[in-house]
Each structure stands twice: as C-alpha cells, then as structure tokens.
Amino acid sequence: MTAAASLTLAGVHGFVWLRRRQQMASLMFCIMAAATAGMAGCELWTMQQTDMVAYTHALQWYNVMRWLVTLALVGFIHFYLGSGRPWLEWTVCGLRTLSLLVNFLVSPMVYYTSIEELVRIKFLGTEVTVVEGIPSPFSIIGQISLLVLAGYLVDATWRSAKGQHRPGAIRVGLSAVFFVLALSLQMMFALWGFIEMPIVASLFFAGILIVMGIELSEDMLRSAKLAEALKIREQELLSERKLTDAIFESAPGMLYLQSADGSMVRWNSQHERVTGYSNDETSRMKAEDFCAEVERNTLTEARSMALAQGGHEVEFDLTRRDGRTARHFFRMVPVEVAGEPHLVGIGIDVSSQRALAAETERQREQMAHIARVASVSELSSSLAHEINQPLAIILSNAQAAQRLMAHEHPDLNELREILDDIVSADIRAADVIKRLRSILRQGKPALETVSPHALFDQALSMAQPDLKSGSIQVSRRHSKKLPLIQADRIPIEQVLLNLIKNACEAMEDNGAREKTLSLTCVNEGGWLRFSVRDNGHGLGEDGDKIFEAFHTTKPKGLGLGLTICQTIIRAHGGNLWSERNKSHGATFHFQLPIVPENL
C-alpha cells in the first residue's frame, strides 16, 4: 500500500515537472516518492526472506533507496522552502553517502557485525522475518545522518517561517522533523533488540510524503486560482487596452509617445493627416525633424523641462511633409515605459486660432480708433470744459491789468506778475489741449515719473479761488514719503482739479454744515490710490450714471467732466470709481501705477 501510494504521488508530480521544468521541488518530490516506493518494496522483500544471503542482498538495496530518499528530501527542502543552509545540506548528504559506501565495504552490512539467525515473528497479522545479530558500530553513521537531517529541517523551517517564504513552511518542516526523529528511534530500537519488529522506514517517509503532497496540492490549487485570476486580469487589460486605443484615436489632436531623446514611439492616426508621414516613416524620426532648425533648441529645452518638472508646454511651427508649416501647441507629461523615461502628450493645431486672434486684435484696434474718432465732437466740447480754468485765469488777470493801466502811475512790478500769470495759464491751456489730443490720437498717455505730492500741490493751487470763495476746509492725509508713480502729469492734474471743483460745487448747499474736503493717498501694492472726499449733497438717486457722457446734475453742465476723467485714468491702466459716504457726501477714487524701482 505504501509503495502504491508513493508511486501514484511520484507519477503525478513527475508529470507536473515534465510540464513545468522550472518546478524543481516537484522533481525532488517525484524522486523521493519513487525511492520511498523502492524502500517499501525492499522492506517487503526482507520480511519474506528466510535465506541469509538473500536477506543481506535485500538490505543493501534498501540502503540505496534510503540514500536516494535522503538526498531527494534535502533537495525538496532546498527548492521548496528556499531557506536551507548549504553547509548543513552537504553534511547530511555526505553522511548519508558515507553510510551507503560503508554498507558495501563491510561484511555483512553496515547495520550488523554478524547475523546469528533469521527469526520469524508475527507483525500486523502475518509472519515476517527479523534479524538477531550483533549491531555494527558503523550504524551510528546512519543515526547521526538522521539527527543532522532533523537539525537541518528545523533550521530551514525556522528560517523560512521567519522570512515568510512559504505559507506552509511550518507544517512541512515540523512534520518532516517528527517523522525523521520517529524513524531514528524505531531503527535504533529495532537494531539493538529493544523491540521485535522489522525495519519499516518507508512508513515514516510516506508520512512525510503525505504532508508534502498536501502542501504541493495546495500550491497547485493556489496556482490554478492565480492562473484564473491572471486570465481574468488579462481580459480586463485587453478591454482597457481597447478603451485606451479608442481614447487615443478619438482625441481631438495628435496624441503621441516619445522617448527621452525625442524618438517617436507612437502617434495616433491623426498625425498622418496633419504631417503627411506614415507610421513606418515616423517610427524612424525624432520630434526635432518636424520643426524648423531655429526652433529645435526650444523643443529640446521643453522636453528637458517636462522631464524635470513633471510637465511642460511649447508652441512651434510644425513642418509637414510637403514643406508647409502650421502653428501647433504641444503639452508633454513624463511617464515611465519599460523602466525608461518617456513623454506622452497631445499636439493641437492652433494656427487658425492664432490667425483669428490676430485678426480680432486688429479689428479691435480699428474699432477703438473709430470710437475715438467718433467721440471727437464730444471731446471738442470737453476741451472747453477742461481749459475753462486757465482761460478764466487769463481773463481775470487781463481785466486786472486793464484796471492798473487806467491809473496815472501804474505799478509795473504788479503788471509783470499779472503778465507772468497770463503766460503760465496760457501754457497750461496749450498743455491740456496737447495731452488730450495725444490720448485721443494714440490711446496712450505720455508717462513720466511724477511725485504724488506735486500733483496734490498743483491741483490745490489751481483750485484755490474756489476753495477760498466757498470757505472750504482742506485736509491732506497721506505719508510724507509716498513712492513715485508713472503718469502723464497734466491730464492727471486736470483729473484732480475736476474732482476738487465737483466737490466744491456739491458742498455749495451745505448751509450751516461745515464744508470739508479730504484728500488721501494710499499705497496698494503696485498702485497708489488717490481719493477725494466731500460732505456735500452726495451722488443722488442716479449716481450710477455719473460717468455716462452728457449726463449732468448741474444746470449749466455739459456732462463730460467725469467721462473725460475716466478716459484719462483708463488710459493709464487704472480705474475711476465713486462711492457714497455713510453720513454726507461722496468719495471718488482712482489708481495710478508706482514706478517699478519704488515697489
């Protein structure tokens, strides 16, 4: 029964090894099972012998089978657990081989110095043959080999369990240790006559085979489950690959994969339509082959930055096969393929968008020019509004000069001062006209470095008659060390003057309430915010329309003052807005850029 079971296991795992030659553990198990069957056969042979010579001959073959079983067991542990110490393996195999050699060199055999007689005893319900003789001291070699084998099994089991090499390492190792030690005791007791029973080592090795067979079967079951799971995963990967290919082909642009040096690995089908090259041709090309030589360094740098920074974007004129070019936008992201860095991305033809954007910008400039020309009539009216102040100064000074000239002895020094004021006012009127014409014609102010304190001083100087006649208290709240700004000085002074005059007019009906005007300037990052605050009648219900052209709340107003102010501020890149105060009046704000080195 032991021989039949062992041969069955040997056949199964021998077939497994033939199908999968890398499974050396199955080969070792097959050899061990076959040798165990041979041991069982030799044991049955010895049990049935009554002739001394035949019995001795059977025991010698039995030792050959023992040697083969031991070597196969060591080999199985080596390949299955993968944790045996090589020097222990060589020691076990060496002792077992030495015992085999001694078996053939000494007489009558390694187990006995002399055999006195063969005795028939009852064993498992039948008569079998056992030996009565003097045990040989050489038999200790076999016993030592069994003990070393047990030590090797314990060490390999502990190392495998500690390293978690095999889930069944403890079961295989401990069962093998148990059966080897049990075999060692049974042989020692049988040889030295402590018990009367034949040598049945095959039963102990059969126990080891059963445990090993169970573990190998579980391994095969796990392998089958893994194979099934792998097959399912392969189907999922195939579906995912089809989905990826579909997405790759349906992208609204040229999807591509290239190596780190720019060699093209894969394009989607759209590249043939765009570039005119076939897949075979592009597989031998680099990304630089699709752009002009002057842009190749830019493309190489973009690829390096994408690999270093996790992604990058670049635009260049893609050269087609027929020599024509089209502007393309490329986005590239690093990805690892087969352990090597690659770039994957998309290329989109943006030539039409860029042409459309250029045309749109050109039309926008034309429309802006048309709008400026269309507002000439409005601005011509505003010129009168803006130069009203210098003209009023000229008129009042001329009238004062006439009164002085009527005197018999006019004061010449005072006349000179009056004439100087007239010249200054005339120059200012000319500057106002020139700057407004510049903004109308070009849409850009003539920027210069200006001190915000100087703007306040000049505007207050020009508004002084209105402030004095209206008994208005002026307060200036700003730092003494405000940064310089970039502005066209004359128009900005006119903006401040206009806002101050509007504030004065808004406070004419204050009655007994004190008239106060507050001028502030605040640093807001790269901008200075100017504010003019009054406590007059406020913005009214239609305050949202005050910046519309020709909208006015004054009986004799043109409704262009704030419109012109807003045009001037917007030409500087800023904005002009208003807000209602919580108590009385309103506040007007505008921004101007700070000189960069003063940020």
Side-chain angles (χ1 to χ4, degrees), residues 4 8 17-18 25 63 82 120 122 190 232 305 330-331 455 470 520:
T8 301
W17 175 76
L18 288 174
N63 274 290
R120 304 285 290 177
K122 286 286 186 178
I232 295 173
M305 293 181 68
F330 285 88
R331 170 68 179 173
L455 293 175
T520 61

Side-chain angles (χ1 to χ4, degrees), residues 353-363:
Q353 290 91 325
R354 295 294 179 267
L356 179 61
E359 178 63 20
T360 302
E361 179 63 20
R362 187 182 66 81
Q363 292 182 0

Side-chain angles (χ1 to χ4, degrees), residues 38 46 88 91 140 259 279 307 311 392 460 533:
T46 59
L88 276 175
T91 301
I140 194 65
S259 62
N279 284 326
L307 291 170
L460 287 173
R533 177 188 179 94

Side-chain angles (χ1 to χ4, degrees), residues 247-388:
I247 295 173
F248 203 78
E249 291 298 328
S250 64
M254 295 184 296
L255 280 180
Y256 64 90
L257 177 67
Q258 60 176 287
S259 62
D261 64 353
S263 299
M264 303 310 300
V265 178
R266 181 182 179 187
W267 292 80
N268 62 354
S269 58
Q270 291 203 34
H271 89 278
E272 293 189 42
R273 176 181 57 81
V274 175
T275 65
Y277 292 99
S278 66
N279 284 326
D280 291 338
E281 290 173 317
T282 55
S283 64
R284 298 186 294 272
M285 301 174 69
K286 287 192 173 184
E288 285 78 2
D289 297 331
F290 295 94
C291 67
E293 187 172 353
V294 294
E295 292 187 306
R296 290 181 179 178
N297 289 336
T298 301
L299 182 56
T300 302
E301 291 175 1
R303 190 164 54 243
S304 300
M305 293 181 68
L307 291 170
Q309 300 176 2
H312 196 63
E313 299 171 354
V314 66
E315 275 192 26
F316 63 87
D317 291 329
L318 186 141
T319 304
R320 300 171 178 171
R321 185 169 188 169
D322 56 8
R324 293 182 300 161
T325 61
R327 196 69 175 176
H328 277 68
F329 167 85
F330 285 88
R331 170 68 179 173
M332 54 189 72
V333 177
V335 64
E336 190 171 287
V337 178
E340 296 294 331
H342 285 68
L343 289 170
V344 65
I346 187 170
I348 300 175
D349 187 346
V350 294
S351 55
S352 58
Q353 290 91 325
R354 295 294 179 267
L356 179 61
E359 178 63 20
T360 302
E361 179 63 20
R362 187 182 66 81
Q363 292 182 0
R364 188 192 67 79
E365 291 178 356
Q366 288 182 348
M367 291 299 295
H369 178 70
I370 292 172
R372 290 195 297 270
V373 172
S375 60
V376 166
S377 60
E378 300 175 8
L379 291 176
S380 62
S381 298
S382 70
L383 287 175
H385 177 84
E386 293 299 322
I387 65 175
N388 179 62

Side-chain angles (χ1 to χ4, degrees), residues 167-212:
I170 296 179
R171 287 192 297 272
V172 171
L174 292 184
S175 63
V177 171
F178 170 77
F179 285 114
V180 167
L181 291 177
L183 170 61
S184 178
L185 292 174
Q186 191 268 337
M187 289 194 65
M188 183 176 65
F189 289 158
L191 287 174
W192 291 90
F194 295 112
I195 56 174
E196 283 192 347
M197 64 178 299
I199 297 174
V200 286
S202 60
L203 292 177
F204 296 96
F205 283 108
I208 297 175
L209 287 174
I210 292 172
V211 177
M212 290 181 175

Side-chain angles (χ1 to χ4, degrees), residues 79 84 153 232 242 264 310 356 363 397 443 497 563:
F79 290 110
L153 294 172
I232 295 173
K242 291 180 179 178
M264 303 310 300
L356 179 61
Q363 292 182 0
N397 279 289
L497 178 60
T563 303

Side-chain angles (χ1 to χ4, degrees), residues 100-121:
L100 178 65
L101 293 176
V102 171
N103 179 70
F104 286 100
L105 293 176
V106 300
S107 180
M109 65 185 68
V110 71
Y111 296 122
Y112 297 98
T113 301
S114 64
I115 298 176
E116 296 178 355
E117 62 177 327
L118 300 178
V119 180
R120 304 285 290 177
I121 63 171

